[in-house]
């Protein structure tokens, strides 16, 4: 049995459902909102390359026990994606990442609720002892959002990756531990209550 099985997580602002090849068109449309592929420090695929992006995510799911999701807003429209990956079942750890949203839903309760659902699943169903987040050094918006969740910075991996154009990436690593989850859960729940 796999550590991570397909699951649909539903909240008031968002629904996370397993990624499928049929989602390519809607994800390409979501990426158009804000021209997200133009942000050099992210890995959002250009609309014409979204098929490859989805195929890679599904391959990762099959081979590496990852779980990619599409994100739907309250109206049911696909507005982005996220995934569990870097799964370490033996040590009960996962990473949440490859997350991006259409511009129209950025800085809304949708991301808070998605993280609340993903973290809840990781700590309460998968019994993870730690959940990790990583982002590009220059992705200041992502770093701020991760800190706002209640994650703590573990460090910076210098020259961690080389991008397709040869630029070396420094990666900032954050995590939330199982002992911290009750306080983080309360914090995220409080933030969501403020949006009612």
């Amino acid at each position: 049995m796999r550590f991570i099985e397909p699951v649909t997580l539903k909240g008031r602002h968002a629904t996370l459902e397993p990624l499928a090849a049929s989602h390519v068109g809607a994800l390409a449309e979501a990426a158009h909102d804000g021209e997200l592929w133009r942000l050099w420090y992210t890995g959002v695929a250009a609309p014409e390359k979204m098929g490859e992006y989805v195929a890679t995510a599904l391959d990762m799911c099959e081979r590496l026990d990852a779980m990619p999701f599409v994100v739907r807003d309250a109206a049911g429209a696909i507005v982005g994606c996220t995934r569990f990956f870097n799964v370490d079942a033996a040590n009960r750890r996962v990473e949440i990442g490859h997350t991006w949203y259409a511009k129209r839903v950025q800085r809304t309760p949708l991301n808070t609720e998605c993280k609340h659902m993903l973290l809840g699943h990781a700590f309460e169903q998968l019994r993870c002892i730690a959940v990790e987040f990583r982002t590009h050094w220059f992705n200041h918006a992502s770093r701020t959002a991760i800190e706002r969740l209640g994650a703590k910075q573990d460090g910076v991996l210098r020259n961690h990756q080389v991008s397709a154009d040869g630029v070396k990436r420094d990666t900032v690593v954050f995590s939330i531990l199982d002992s911290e989850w009750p306080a983080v859960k309360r914090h995220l729940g409080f933030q969501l209550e403020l949006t009612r």
Side-chain angles (χ1 to χ4, degrees):
M1 185 171 153
R2 293 165 63 109
F3 181 56
I4 296 182
E5 294 288 342
V7 63
T8 297
L9 304 173
K10 187 164 179 54
R12 192 163 59 92
H13 303 284
T15 299
L16 298 166
E17 69 181 57
L19 177 69
S22 60
H23 296 134
V24 169
L27 285 171
E29 187 177 317
H32 259 298
D33 182 2
E35 297 187 337
L36 303 177
W37 66 94
R38 295 189 187 280
L39 299 173
W40 71 274
Y41 48 77
T42 70
V44 181
E48 66 274 10
K49 295 188 177 182
M50 195 59 72
E52 296 169 37
Y53 179 88
V54 169
T56 298
L58 294 175
D59 180 62
M60 182 185 275
C61 178
E62 188 60 36
R63 291 184 309 104
L64 303 175
D65 204 23
M67 179 47 58
F69 298 92
V70 290
V71 179
R72 293 186 183 272
D73 65 13
I78 291 177
V79 294
C81 60
T82 190
R83 71 184 78 154
F84 286 128
F85 69 111
N86 280 344
V87 176
D88 183 351
N91 292 299
R92 308 202 75 77
R93 295 178 66 97
V94 297
E95 183 176 339
I96 295 173
H98 294 275
T99 303
W100 58 267
Y101 302 111
K103 187 171 184 177
R104 71 182 180 277
V105 297
Q106 293 175 12
R107 299 186 176 277
T108 70
L110 180 135
N111 181 51
T112 302
E113 187 170 66
C114 286
K115 293 303 189 291
H116 188 268
M117 292 188 291
L118 289 166
L119 288 165
H121 187 74
F123 287 119
E124 296 168 13
Q125 274 69 51
L126 302 178
R127 300 290 179 207
C128 287
I129 63 171
V131 175
E132 192 173 292
F133 302 86
R134 297 182 179 203
T135 192
H136 196 295
W137 175 263
F138 285 104
N139 194 342
H140 298 291
S142 178
R143 289 168 61 179
T144 300
I146 293 168
E147 288 175 341
R148 198 168 43 243
L149 294 172
K152 299 198 173 49
Q153 184 175 318
D154 295 324
V156 180
L157 302 175
R158 308 270 289 148
N159 279 357
H160 178 234
Q161 295 174 326
V162 180
S163 65
D165 62 2
V167 174
K168 295 171 187 157
R169 165 183 157 150
D170 290 349
T171 299
V172 188
V173 182
F174 298 83
S175 66
I176 297 172
L177 306 180
D178 55 349
S179 59
E180 298 167 338
W181 170 236
V184 171
K185 180 178 182 179
R186 186 169 186 184
H187 170 66
L188 295 177
F190 178 73
Q191 288 182 320
L192 289 169
E193 282 296 318
L194 293 176
T195 66
R196 285 190 182 273

